Amino acid sequence: MEQQKLNPTIVYVLAILGLLCCCFGGLGFILAGIAFFIAQSKLKQAQANPENYDQQSVKAMNTAKIVAMVMLIINIAYLIFTIYRISTVGWDEMMEQSREIMEQYQQQNQ
């Protein structure tokens, strides 16, 4: 019987996209969470029937799970920071600071 291989590519892709979406207030936790859930479920399947799965691919999926977990933690931390900042500073003040930074940037490039 041929052993099945776990393909961690989708987990890596979702985790990296989650990191890129971190720039949007930590909203990448959705993609990173999905990646972590996929990796976790695939590893549970492999643990239930270890003789059916190639151990090299199980190790690769475990690494992908760790990457997804790190991205999830980064995104959740940034989301909490964003919520804290909005609640303490206020949305209007943040938008005003953003506008001032953009004006300064435009003046420097002229």
Side-chain angles (χ1 to χ4, degrees):
M1 182 175 178
E2 188 175 325
Q3 291 184 328
Q4 297 177 358
K5 292 187 178 191
L6 297 175
N7 188 1
T9 305
I10 189 69
V11 176
Y12 281 123
V13 168
L14 287 172
I16 298 303
L17 287 175
L19 179 65
L20 295 175
C21 291
C22 182
C23 300
F24 302 111
L27 294 179
F29 79 92
I30 297 168
L31 295 173
I34 293 170
F36 182 76
F37 177 75
I38 291 171
Q40 186 73 16
S41 64
K42 295 289 185 181
L43 285 171
K44 282 184 181 180
Q45 288 176 359
Q47 287 174 351
N49 299 315
E51 65 278 352
N52 293 344
Y53 291 93
D54 178 36
Q55 290 304 310
Q56 196 70 7
S57 67
V58 172
K59 288 180 184 178
M61 184 60 79
N62 197 28
T63 303
K65 176 185 151 190
I66 292 170
V67 169
M69 184 174 25
V70 168
M71 299 307 160
L72 184 61
I73 291 169
I74 290 170
N75 275 289
I76 289 174
Y78 195 73
L79 179 66
I80 291 169
F81 172 73
T82 302
I83 292 170
Y84 172 76
R85 188 159 178 234
I86 290 172
S87 66
T88 56
V89 175
W91 183 258
D92 294 333
E93 182 64 28
M94 285 178 54
M95 289 298 108
E96 182 63 29
Q97 289 174 357
S98 175
R99 187 186 61 76
E100 289 173 5
I101 290 171
M102 296 210 27
E103 285 177 0
Q104 289 174 1
Y105 179 74
Q106 287 175 350
Q107 288 174 358
Q108 288 176 354
N109 288 332
Q110 289 180 356

